[in-house]
């Protein structure tokens, strides 16, 4: 795999010790090369009254001791900042060329401000100022008022940059935590909506099964009365009881595993696909221009599938009415196939074509659609429509 600069930065960002070690080695190498390449009478003469002593091994060791601790700047920045004051003071006292040792102290000051609390970072800033003032009072360095201003500005700039990074990191961490809390709240809300929808589905299926049992009771009574006088009628009644019993058993299997909560059951008959024309007419009266198309040979559907398919179309059209906009149009296509029932509801609305807007909000109707389709082993697709708008596609297997 090719290594790109972005991949290299990500790799180093994931390994801060490697990144800091490279920074320390580069800074130390540059400092030592600076000191070693300076000829007699040359060197870092800023803030110094005269020419530094010629470089030797001790000079290089002390300079390296000021910059190599940068490798551990994230783990012990304050301790290392205080520790580097000793070799820095020795460089000044012995009148050695410090090279770039001052940059090591600045990096450590920045690290304390960026990775430690406010109190400790203020102490680190005071230590840096104290180290500078100690050299000034001892006469090791002889800065002017302009130098005082420059040094103060540089120290404050490093401290402020470190604090700004820390505050930004804390702000981003708070945003991540807030997003996690919102995600958990949304998942809990979705679970509650699913539980509520399962309860409603269970109540509706319970009413369907109760209807079948009532019909079976009536048919059984009729068969008992006609058994002696009209055996053919009794035979037809028994056949109807058998069919109703199979249907009721199928619905009972669907109820198993679905939570049923207490509540008054609806006494009226449950709607079905035969009520789609009336539903479409209601949507037209509400302002949504809706067209209904039914393809294939109509046949009797299992009561649960019949109810679930009707609720799917009802919720999809209600969703279009709410979000598609005043000038939107909707199409409902129902296709009867030998082993499958396909439903396609689409609109050309521009008001809220995004799926998150359609599914979000206070209602949980589309969550209920998913539960209904999954209950009968169907396949569902909800999302933006090609060319604009929104669509809901569902397929119910007919066993």
């Amino acid at each position: 795999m090719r290594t790109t600069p972005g991949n290299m930065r990500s790799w180093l960002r994931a390994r801060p010790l490697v990144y800091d070690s490279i920074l320390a080695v580069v800074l130390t190498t540059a400092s030592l090369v600076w000191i070693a390449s300076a000829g007699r009478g040359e060197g870092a003469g800023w803030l110094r009254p005269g020419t530094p002593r010629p470089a030797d091994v001790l000079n290089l060791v002390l300079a390296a001791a000021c910059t190599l601790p940068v490798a551990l700047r994230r783990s012990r920045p304050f301790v290392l900042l205080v520790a580097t004051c000793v070799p820095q003071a020795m460089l000044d006292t012995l009148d050695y060329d410090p090279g770039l040792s001052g940059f090591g102290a600045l990096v450590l000051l920045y690290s304390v401000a960026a990775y430690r609390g406010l109190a400790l970072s203020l102490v680190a800033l005071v230590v840096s100022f104290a180290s500078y003032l100690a050299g000034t009072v001892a006469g090791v360095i002889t800065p002017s008022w302009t130098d005082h201003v420059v040094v103060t500005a540089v120290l404050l700039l490093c401290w402020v940059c470190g604090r700004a990074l820390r505050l930004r990191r804390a702000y981003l961490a708070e945003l991540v935590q807030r997003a996690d809390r919102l995600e958990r709240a949304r998942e809990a809300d979705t679970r509650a909506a699913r539980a509520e929808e399962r309860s409603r589905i269970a109540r509706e299926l319970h009413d369907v099964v109760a209807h079948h049992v009532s019909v079976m009771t009536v048919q059984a009574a009729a068969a008992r009365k006609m058994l002696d006088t009209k055996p053919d009628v009794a035979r037809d009644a028994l056949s109807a009881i058998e069919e109703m019993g199979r249907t009721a058993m199928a619905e009972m299997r669907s109820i198993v595993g679905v939570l049923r909560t207490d509540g008054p059951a609806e006494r009226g008959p449950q709607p079905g696909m035969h009520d789609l024309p009336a539903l479409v007419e209601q949507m037209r009266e509400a302002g949504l221009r809706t067209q209904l198309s039914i393809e294939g040979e109509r046949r009797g559907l299992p009561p649960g599938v019949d109810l679930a398919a009707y609720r799917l179309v009802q919720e999809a059209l209600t969703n279009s009415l709410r979000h598609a906009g005043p000038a939107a149009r909707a199409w409902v296509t129902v296709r009867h196939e030998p082993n499958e029932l396909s439903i396609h509801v689409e609109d050309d609305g521009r008001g809220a074509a995004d799926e998150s807007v359609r599914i979000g909000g206070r209602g949980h109707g589309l969550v209920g659609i998913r539960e209904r389709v999954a209950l009968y082993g169907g396949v569902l697709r909800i999302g933006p429509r090609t060319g604009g708008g929104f669509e809901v596609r569902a397929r119910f297997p007919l066993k």
Side-chain angles (χ1 to χ4, degrees), residues 272-290:
M273 295 298 287
H274 60 278
D275 296 312
L276 282 186
L279 175 63
V280 170
E281 188 61 31
Q282 292 176 4
M283 291 298 165
R284 290 172 181 168
E285 294 176 356
L288 180 65
R289 294 180 294 173
T290 309

PDB file of all heavy atoms in Angstrom, residues 272-290:
ATOM      1  N   GLY A 272     -58.567  -3.055   5.667  1.00  0.00           N
ATOM      2  CA  GLY A 272     -57.751  -3.908   4.830  1.00  0.00           C
ATOM      3  C   GLY A 272     -57.515  -3.272   3.483  1.00  0.00           C
ATOM      4  O   GLY A 272     -57.865  -2.104   3.241  1.00  0.00           O
ATOM      5  N   MET A 273     -56.937  -4.043   2.567  1.00  0.00           N
ATOM      6  CA  MET A 273     -56.594  -3.507   1.257  1.00  0.00           C
ATOM      7  C   MET A 273     -57.830  -3.102   0.463  1.00  0.00           C
ATOM      8  O   MET A 273     -57.743  -2.268  -0.443  1.00  0.00           O
ATOM      9  CB  MET A 273     -55.780  -4.547   0.484  1.00  0.00           C
ATOM     10  CG  MET A 273     -54.420  -4.861   1.111  1.00  0.00           C
ATOM     11  SD  MET A 273     -53.343  -3.416   1.173  1.00  0.00           S
ATOM     12  CE  MET A 273     -52.909  -3.270  -0.559  1.00  0.00           C
ATOM     13  N   HIS A 274     -58.991  -3.678   0.801  1.00  0.00           N
ATOM     14  CA  HIS A 274     -60.210  -3.279   0.087  1.00  0.00           C
ATOM     15  C   HIS A 274     -60.625  -1.854   0.449  1.00  0.00           C
ATOM     16  O   HIS A 274     -61.496  -1.270  -0.227  1.00  0.00           O
ATOM     17  CB  HIS A 274     -61.341  -4.264   0.417  1.00  0.00           C
ATOM     18  CG  HIS A 274     -61.663  -4.319   1.884  1.00  0.00           C
ATOM     19  ND1 HIS A 274     -60.939  -5.082   2.765  1.00  0.00           N
ATOM     20  CD2 HIS A 274     -62.621  -3.696   2.621  1.00  0.00           C
ATOM     21  CE1 HIS A 274     -61.424  -4.933   3.991  1.00  0.00           C
ATOM     22  NE2 HIS A 274     -62.450  -4.097   3.927  1.00  0.00           N
ATOM     23  N   ASP A 275     -60.029  -1.289   1.495  1.00  0.00           N
ATOM     24  CA  ASP A 275     -60.349   0.081   1.901  1.00  0.00           C
ATOM     25  C   ASP A 275     -59.401   1.109   1.301  1.00  0.00           C
ATOM     26  O   ASP A 275     -59.486   2.301   1.644  1.00  0.00           O
ATOM     27  CB  ASP A 275     -60.315   0.203   3.430  1.00  0.00           C
ATOM     28  CG  ASP A 275     -61.377  -0.657   4.092  1.00  0.00           C
ATOM     29  OD1 ASP A 275     -62.534  -0.590   3.643  1.00  0.00           O
ATOM     30  OD2 ASP A 275     -61.046  -1.383   5.046  1.00  0.00           O
ATOM     31  N   LEU A 276     -58.474   0.687   0.445  1.00  0.00           N
ATOM     32  CA  LEU A 276     -57.524   1.630  -0.133  1.00  0.00           C
ATOM     33  C   LEU A 276     -58.190   2.740  -0.947  1.00  0.00           C
ATOM     34  O   LEU A 276     -57.770   3.909  -0.856  1.00  0.00           O
ATOM     35  CB  LEU A 276     -56.496   0.891  -1.000  1.00  0.00           C
ATOM     36  CG  LEU A 276     -55.368   0.180  -0.264  1.00  0.00           C
ATOM     37  CD1 LEU A 276     -54.365  -0.382  -1.261  1.00  0.00           C
ATOM     38  CD2 LEU A 276     -54.664   1.113   0.705  1.00  0.00           C
ATOM     39  N   PRO A 277     -59.185   2.465  -1.780  1.00  0.00           N
ATOM     40  CA  PRO A 277     -59.819   3.574  -2.508  1.00  0.00           C
ATOM     41  C   PRO A 277     -60.367   4.655  -1.578  1.00  0.00           C
ATOM     42  O   PRO A 277     -60.220   5.848  -1.861  1.00  0.00           O
ATOM     43  CB  PRO A 277     -60.942   2.871  -3.298  1.00  0.00           C
ATOM     44  CG  PRO A 277     -60.443   1.474  -3.479  1.00  0.00           C
ATOM     45  CD  PRO A 277     -59.713   1.154  -2.224  1.00  0.00           C
ATOM     46  N   ALA A 278     -60.977   4.249  -0.481  1.00  0.00           N
ATOM     47  CA  ALA A 278     -61.477   5.250   0.465  1.00  0.00           C
ATOM     48  C   ALA A 278     -60.336   6.025   1.100  1.00  0.00           C
ATOM     49  O   ALA A 278     -60.425   7.244   1.312  1.00  0.00           O
ATOM     50  CB  ALA A 278     -62.326   4.559   1.538  1.00  0.00           C
ATOM     51  N   LEU A 279     -59.219   5.343   1.409  1.00  0.00           N
ATOM     52  CA  LEU A 279     -58.063   6.029   1.981  1.00  0.00           C
ATOM     53  C   LEU A 279     -57.480   7.040   1.000  1.00  0.00           C
ATOM     54  O   LEU A 279     -57.139   8.169   1.371  1.00  0.00           O
ATOM     55  CB  LEU A 279     -57.001   4.992   2.373  1.00  0.00           C
ATOM     56  CG  LEU A 279     -55.670   5.545   2.889  1.00  0.00           C
ATOM     57  CD1 LEU A 279     -55.872   6.336   4.174  1.00  0.00           C
ATOM     58  CD2 LEU A 279     -54.659   4.406   3.112  1.00  0.00           C
ATOM     59  N   VAL A 280     -57.373   6.641  -0.271  1.00  0.00           N
ATOM     60  CA  VAL A 280     -56.851   7.557  -1.293  1.00  0.00           C
ATOM     61  C   VAL A 280     -57.758   8.768  -1.442  1.00  0.00           C
ATOM     62  O   VAL A 280     -57.294   9.911  -1.583  1.00  0.00           O
ATOM     63  CB  VAL A 280     -56.681   6.809  -2.632  1.00  0.00           C
ATOM     64  CG1 VAL A 280     -56.385   7.784  -3.764  1.00  0.00           C
ATOM     65  CG2 VAL A 280     -55.564   5.776  -2.517  1.00  0.00           C
ATOM     66  N   GLU A 281     -59.052   8.540  -1.386  1.00  0.00           N
ATOM     67  CA  GLU A 281     -59.996   9.655  -1.487  1.00  0.00           C
ATOM     68  C   GLU A 281     -59.845  10.605  -0.293  1.00  0.00           C
ATOM     69  O   GLU A 281     -59.919  11.841  -0.450  1.00  0.00           O
ATOM     70  CB  GLU A 281     -61.423   9.117  -1.557  1.00  0.00           C
ATOM     71  CG  GLU A 281     -62.473  10.181  -1.856  1.00  0.00           C
ATOM     72  CD  GLU A 281     -62.257  10.856  -3.204  1.00  0.00           C
ATOM     73  OE1 GLU A 281     -61.732  10.183  -4.120  1.00  0.00           O
ATOM     74  OE2 GLU A 281     -62.627  12.044  -3.325  1.00  0.00           O
ATOM     75  N   GLN A 282     -59.608  10.071   0.887  1.00  0.00           N
ATOM     76  CA  GLN A 282     -59.376  10.927   2.048  1.00  0.00           C
ATOM     77  C   GLN A 282     -58.133  11.786   1.863  1.00  0.00           C
ATOM     78  O   GLN A 282     -58.122  12.973   2.232  1.00  0.00           O
ATOM     79  CB  GLN A 282     -59.233  10.063   3.305  1.00  0.00           C
ATOM     80  CG  GLN A 282     -60.512   9.366   3.739  1.00  0.00           C
ATOM     81  CD  GLN A 282     -60.277   8.460   4.930  1.00  0.00           C
ATOM     82  OE1 GLN A 282     -59.173   8.397   5.485  1.00  0.00           O
ATOM     83  NE2 GLN A 282     -61.317   7.721   5.323  1.00  0.00           N
ATOM     84  N   MET A 283     -57.083  11.207   1.310  1.00  0.00           N
ATOM     85  CA  MET A 283     -55.862  11.971   1.085  1.00  0.00           C
ATOM     86  C   MET A 283     -56.081  13.073   0.059  1.00  0.00           C
ATOM     87  O   MET A 283     -55.521  14.174   0.181  1.00  0.00           O
ATOM     88  CB  MET A 283     -54.731  11.031   0.639  1.00  0.00           C
ATOM     89  CG  MET A 283     -54.252  10.099   1.743  1.00  0.00           C
ATOM     90  SD  MET A 283     -53.564  11.027   3.141  1.00  0.00           S
ATOM     91  CE  MET A 283     -53.522   9.754   4.396  1.00  0.00           C
ATOM     92  N   ARG A 284     -56.872  12.787  -0.959  1.00  0.00           N
ATOM     93  CA  ARG A 284     -57.175  13.822  -1.950  1.00  0.00           C
ATOM     94  C   ARG A 284     -57.939  14.983  -1.316  1.00  0.00           C
ATOM     95  O   ARG A 284     -57.655  16.153  -1.588  1.00  0.00           O
ATOM     96  CB  ARG A 284     -57.978  13.220  -3.096  1.00  0.00           C
ATOM     97  CG  ARG A 284     -57.184  12.272  -3.979  1.00  0.00           C
ATOM     98  CD  ARG A 284     -58.095  11.570  -4.962  1.00  0.00           C
ATOM     99  NE  ARG A 284     -57.360  10.627  -5.798  1.00  0.00           N
ATOM    100  CZ  ARG A 284     -57.942   9.720  -6.576  1.00  0.00           C
ATOM    101  NH1 ARG A 284     -59.276   9.640  -6.619  1.00  0.00           N
ATOM    102  NH2 ARG A 284     -57.205   8.903  -7.318  1.00  0.00           N
ATOM    103  N   GLU A 285     -58.884  14.646  -0.457  1.00  0.00           N
ATOM    104  CA  GLU A 285     -59.632  15.703   0.213  1.00  0.00           C
ATOM    105  C   GLU A 285     -58.742  16.507   1.146  1.00  0.00           C
ATOM    106  O   GLU A 285     -58.983  17.702   1.365  1.00  0.00           O
ATOM    107  CB  GLU A 285     -60.787  15.091   0.998  1.00  0.00           C
ATOM    108  CG  GLU A 285     -61.852  14.448   0.122  1.00  0.00           C
ATOM    109  CD  GLU A 285     -62.930  13.774   0.941  1.00  0.00           C
ATOM    110  OE1 GLU A 285     -62.792  13.750   2.192  1.00  0.00           O
ATOM    111  OE2 GLU A 285     -63.904  13.248   0.354  1.00  0.00           O
ATOM    112  N   ALA A 286     -57.695  15.884   1.692  1.00  0.00           N
ATOM    113  CA  ALA A 286     -56.778  16.593   2.583  1.00  0.00           C
ATOM    114  C   ALA A 286     -55.781  17.465   1.834  1.00  0.00           C
ATOM    115  O   ALA A 286     -55.064  18.248   2.457  1.00  0.00           O
ATOM    116  CB  ALA A 286     -56.024  15.598   3.465  1.00  0.00           C
ATOM    117  N   GLY A 287     -55.721  17.333   0.499  1.00  0.00           N
ATOM    118  CA  GLY A 287     -54.838  18.185  -0.298  1.00  0.00           C
ATOM    119  C   GLY A 287     -53.699  17.472  -0.978  1.00  0.00           C
ATOM    120  O   GLY A 287     -52.915  18.118  -1.684  1.00  0.00           O
ATOM    121  N   LEU A 288     -53.538  16.155  -0.803  1.00  0.00           N
ATOM    122  CA  LEU A 288     -52.482  15.400  -1.457  1.00  0.00           C
ATOM    123  C   LEU A 288     -53.048  14.710  -2.694  1.00  0.00           C
ATOM    124  O   LEU A 288     -53.911  13.829  -2.581  1.00  0.00           O
ATOM    125  CB  LEU A 288     -51.888  14.363  -0.496  1.00  0.00           C
ATOM    126  CG  LEU A 288     -50.765  13.491  -1.046  1.00  0.00           C
ATOM    127  CD1 LEU A 288     -49.543  14.341  -1.379  1.00  0.00           C
ATOM    128  CD2 LEU A 288     -50.387  12.395  -0.044  1.00  0.00           C
ATOM    129  N   ARG A 289     -52.582  15.118  -3.852  1.00  0.00           N
ATOM    130  CA  ARG A 289     -53.056  14.511  -5.108  1.00  0.00           C
ATOM    131  C   ARG A 289     -52.490  13.094  -5.208  1.00  0.00           C
ATOM    132  O   ARG A 289     -51.300  12.909  -5.435  1.00  0.00           O
ATOM    133  CB  ARG A 289     -52.624  15.363  -6.288  1.00  0.00           C
ATOM    134  CG  ARG A 289     -53.276  16.750  -6.320  1.00  0.00           C
ATOM    135  CD  ARG A 289     -52.798  17.549  -7.508  1.00  0.00           C
ATOM    136  NE  ARG A 289     -51.378  17.857  -7.393  1.00  0.00           N
ATOM    137  CZ  ARG A 289     -50.640  18.428  -8.351  1.00  0.00           C
ATOM    138  NH1 ARG A 289     -51.213  18.718  -9.520  1.00  0.00           N
ATOM    139  NH2 ARG A 289     -49.373  18.691  -8.162  1.00  0.00           N
ATOM    140  N   THR A 290     -53.359  12.131  -5.048  1.00  0.00           N
ATOM    141  CA  THR A 290     -52.934  10.736  -4.940  1.00  0.00           C
ATOM    142  C   THR A 290     -53.591   9.905  -6.035  1.00  0.00           C
ATOM    143  O   THR A 290     -54.778  10.080  -6.339  1.00  0.00           O
ATOM    144  CB  THR A 290     -53.318  10.166  -3.564  1.00  0.00           C
ATOM    145  OG1 THR A 290     -52.860  11.042  -2.538  1.00  0.00           O
ATOM    146  CG2 THR A 290     -52.708   8.798  -3.359  1.00  0.00           C
TER     147      THR A 290
END
